[in-house]
Amino acid sequence: MSAIFDFSSLLTVILLLICTCAYLRDMRPTIFDGGQIPKTGERLKRSGVTGFLWKMSRIGERLSPYVGVSCAIMAIHILFFK
């Protein structure tokens, strides 16, 4: 079955995407900026796939305790209940 139709698999994919994007942005901070350098007081416009991945990395950075707990709960669910 596809991950889109199974809620548990969809949550797993979303959590892995958030964790991966946050890790990549921690290793290379400008990876989702597209090589753009903002001027003083100006914000970068992020759109498309890189904008979506940048938003996922921000979620992973700002909500990292909740994302970590969610990953642990999902791991227990997959290992023991699936």
Side-chain angles (χ1 to χ4, degrees), residues 1-45:
M1 183 185 283
S2 177
I4 297 171
F5 301 117
D6 186 19
F7 186 68
S8 175
S9 298
L10 180 65
L11 282 178
T12 304
V13 169
I14 290 172
L15 282 172
L16 286 174
L17 181 67
I18 289 172
C19 293
T20 303
C21 290
Y23 176 77
L24 286 175
R25 189 153 187 263
D26 186 42
M27 290 293 151
R28 302 185 89 198
T30 59
I31 192 166
F32 300 126
D33 294 340
Q36 300 173 356
I37 299 173
K39 297 177 184 173
T40 305
E42 183 180 307
R43 291 176 35 165
L44 288 176
K45 293 190 178 192

Side-chain angles (χ1 to χ4, degrees), residues 68-79:
V69 169
S70 299
C71 286
I73 291 171
M74 186 58 69
I76 291 169
H77 173 74
I78 288 172
L79 288 174

Side-chain angles (χ1 to χ4, degrees), residues 31-74:
I31 192 166
F32 300 126
D33 294 340
Q36 300 173 356
I37 299 173
K39 297 177 184 173
T40 305
E42 183 180 307
R43 291 176 35 165
L44 288 176
K45 293 190 178 192
R46 296 172 177 91
S47 59
V49 174
T50 56
F52 176 73
L53 295 176
W54 180 81
K55 289 176 186 176
M56 292 289 115
S57 70
R58 292 301 284 179
I59 290 170
E61 289 174 357
R62 293 184 178 182
L63 300 176
S64 61
Y66 298 112
V67 172
V69 169
S70 299
C71 286
I73 291 171
M74 186 58 69

